[in-house]
Amino acid sequence: NLSRHRMRSFLTMLGVCIGIAAVLSTITLGRFAREHILSSFSAMGVHTLGFTGHPNPFLKTTEKPPFYFQQFAIESDLRPLMRVFPQIEKASVQTAPSWGVTASFGGKSALKEIKVTGVGFDFLSIANWPIAQGKSFSQFNIKQHSAVCVIGSKLAKDLFAHQSPLGQMLQLGEQNKSYSCTVIGILSDRAQLNGHFENDDVFVPYTYFQSVSSNFWGGMIHTLMLKAKDGTDMQAFSRGITAFFTKKYGRSAWFYS
């Protein structure tokens, strides 16, 4: 009983509390990341869909879904999706942003911490965010994990006030790890979106981000950015995407669009 096995009972209750706290933290983080990403889609046009998936922390051990979901994969998820839904005009993966990153150049640091996000080839086009100077990512950059970046206009002004940022090496630091990228593009100014995708953000190829970031959660691909062709019924399109992934992963994931 409890009085005779106090230590065992204490450890059991502690384990239960830790488990509950872990589940609640996962849910909270997932909802926050989803709201952060989806709240920015309003500026991207009516034919843009952000589709998000997260592992289901409440999946029972007795449940056996066809496949267990951890994150979206290019070959086994995105490419089959585009074959099944020909109305998809463009598609891109996106990692969750890594917050609290320091940016510096030539001994000068940005005025505040920034966000770094790993994206696919068509992300900026789908996001309707034009390049003011330089160029966007190429397919080669994605395939080769190139250490290149496209930066926001505000960050460019803060760090490169008296010279062109293009071709310069930007230093980025997160937690106990630092890495760098060569600036190949500067984004045009755009209205602030409640703190989401600001003008001092940095975007890098998702392949490079996954290889250098210390943020394990942020490096995972939980969001697909999809641009549908004109005339697409977006509600039916969204339901179809949800049904596609639900059939594959069952209750092992939560999907939102």
Side-chain angles (χ1 to χ4, degrees):
N1 55 38
L2 292 179
S3 61
R4 293 179 59 184
H5 302 285
R6 293 181 180 179
M7 180 56 68
R8 182 185 300 175
S9 300
F10 171 75
L11 293 176
T12 300
M13 289 187 289
L14 180 61
V16 171
C17 291
I18 292 175
I20 293 174
V23 170
L24 292 177
S25 298
T26 301
I27 295 172
T28 301
L29 182 60
R31 288 177 177 174
F32 178 75
R34 172 177 177 264
E35 291 173 2
H36 172 87
I37 294 168
L38 297 184
S39 63
S40 64
F41 291 158
S42 59
M44 300 180 188
V46 295
H47 291 101
T48 299
L49 177 70
F51 190 82
T52 302
H54 291 288
N56 180 5
F58 296 111
L59 183 70
K60 298 178 181 178
T61 55
T62 55
E63 296 183 79
K64 304 296 181 182
F67 296 93
Y68 287 92
F69 181 83
Q70 293 297 323
Q71 62 176 327
F72 291 115
I74 300 293
E75 295 299 328
S76 59
D77 288 321
L78 186 56
R79 296 197 191 284
L81 181 74
M82 296 184 71
R83 289 195 295 267
V84 173
F85 293 89
Q87 60 266 54
I88 297 177
E89 182 177 307
K90 295 180 180 180
S92 173
V93 298
Q94 176 193 334
T95 68
S98 183
W99 287 274
V101 178
T102 59
S104 61
F105 169 76
K108 181 180 180 181
S109 298
L111 298 178
K112 66 173 185 175
E113 295 179 336
I114 63 164
K115 297 192 300 296
V116 179
T117 306
V119 298
F121 169 67
D122 278 323
F123 173 83
L124 294 175
S125 174
I126 297 172
N128 193 28
W129 202 341
I131 299 288
Q133 298 180 46
K135 60 185 179 181
S136 186
F137 307 114
S138 66
Q139 292 283 17
F140 178 84
N141 295 147
I142 305 298
K143 292 179 180 178
Q144 296 299 316
H145 305 199
S146 300
V148 295
C149 52
V150 174
I151 66 175
S153 57
K154 183 178 182 299
L155 182 62
K157 294 174 184 176
D158 287 346
L159 291 182
F160 306 93
H162 304 295
Q163 60 184 305
S164 171
L166 298 179
Q168 303 293 348
M169 191 72 71
L170 181 67
Q171 300 294 325
L172 302 169
E174 53 178 66
Q175 298 180 12
N176 297 321
K177 188 172 185 179
S178 62
Y179 51 97
S180 61
C181 60
T182 300
V183 179
I184 62 171
I186 305 170
L187 293 163
S188 61
D189 289 330
R190 76 183 303 177
Q192 299 296 305
L193 297 170
N194 299 321
H196 307 303
F197 294 149
E198 300 180 9
N199 289 318
D200 55 4
D201 281 1
V202 172
F203 296 96
V204 300
Y206 76 92
T207 49
Y208 176 63
F209 184 74
Q210 290 176 325
S211 67
V212 298
S213 177
S214 61
N215 186 346
F216 174 77
W217 172 265
M220 302 189 78
I221 299 172
H222 286 152
T223 298
L224 301 178
M225 294 281 290
L226 307 173
K227 183 176 182 180
K229 297 177 181 178
D230 291 344
T232 300
D233 183 335
M234 294 305 291
Q235 290 188 344
F237 179 59
S238 176
R239 291 194 297 268
I241 301 294
T242 302
F244 175 87
F245 284 113
T246 300
K247 182 178 180 180
K248 177 177 181 179
Y249 290 107
R251 278 183 24 88
S252 72
W254 291 342
F255 295 114
Y256 312 94
S257 61

